[in-house]
Amino acid sequence: MKLTSKGRYAVTAILDIAIHADNGPVSLSDISERQHISLSYLEQLFAKLRRNNLVKSVRGPGGGYKLGHMPEDISIGMIIAAVNENIDTTKCLGKGNCQNGQECLTHTLWDKLSQRIADFLNEITLAELVSQHKQKKPSQYKHQDLENLLVIKTNNAQHS
């Protein structure tokens, strides 16, 4: 399983909004500039995020996007699911027809891994990532920082 740019960019963009929420709605062009994500790609992602009520658009001067829920109520798993990112590690996408219509020998292993990944991503909230970001206090929040925060979270979970 590999998380594609669709899921990574969606999480990064919403995290950018959460970090800059105190300044009012955040424009996609600001996110694009700060995170080096194509504006047209962001527009596609935000259509899906809006449909799933994870963000709300604000029209007019000073408009942009704001979170659709409180940061503590938005999990990383919700964001990834909203943009239709597949995190399933089974060959058959969980259907159990991996080998000529039957479950392969390792289906249960990969199915359990998929569930653990989903559980892990659903446990991490935007509020937690914003808090970790504020503790680091970088001059600008970059895409690589999100990956570092998730690695820190993973390492902490493994040592608990």
Side-chain angles (χ1 to χ4, degrees):
M1 191 255 2
K2 181 176 180 182
L3 191 60
T4 67
S5 60
K6 184 173 28 173
R8 290 175 189 271
Y9 288 165
V11 171
T12 299
I14 288 189
L15 185 54
D16 188 284
I17 290 173
I19 289 167
H20 294 95
D22 293 342
N23 302 329
V26 178
S27 73
L28 291 184
S29 61
D30 286 346
I31 297 170
S32 174
E33 185 178 313
R34 280 191 293 263
Q35 304 306 328
H36 306 287
I37 303 171
S38 156
L39 183 58
S40 62
Y41 198 65
L42 284 172
E43 289 168 348
Q44 293 171 32
L45 291 175
F46 272 72
K48 293 178 180 184
L49 296 169
R50 261 193 332 267
R51 279 193 298 273
N52 285 276
N53 299 315
L54 293 179
V55 296
K56 295 179 181 178
S57 62
V58 178
R59 298 190 183 275
Y65 285 90
K66 62 181 186 173
L67 297 177
H69 304 280
M70 298 298 295
E72 51 275 357
D73 296 330
I74 300 175
S75 74
I76 303 309
M78 290 168 65
I79 299 165
I80 291 170
V83 295
N84 303 320
E85 182 72 276
N86 179 13
I87 58 166
D88 196 312
T89 58
T90 62
K91 182 178 176 181
C92 62
L93 301 177
K95 295 177 186 164
N97 60 354
C98 347
Q99 194 170 37
N100 299 324
Q102 302 294 316
E103 279 189 7
C104 67
L105 292 175
T106 55
H107 176 83
T108 302
L109 169 70
W110 304 125
D111 192 47
K112 286 182 180 181
L113 176 60
S114 295
Q115 187 57 54
R116 285 199 182 190
I117 292 168
D119 291 346
F120 174 75
L121 293 173
N122 286 323
E123 290 173 4
I124 304 169
T125 66
L126 277 181
E128 188 175 348
L129 295 181
V130 169
S131 174
Q132 290 175 5
H133 165 72
K134 288 181 179 178
Q135 290 172 6
K136 288 177 64 175
K137 296 185 183 176
S139 59
Q140 268 196 334
Y141 201 79
K142 300 288 186 204
H143 176 75
Q144 184 63 42
D145 291 332
L146 172 63
E147 292 179 15
N148 292 340
L149 290 174
L150 290 174
V151 167
I152 290 167
K153 174 72 175 167
T154 303
N155 290 338
N156 289 342
Q158 290 174 349
H159 298 305
S160 297

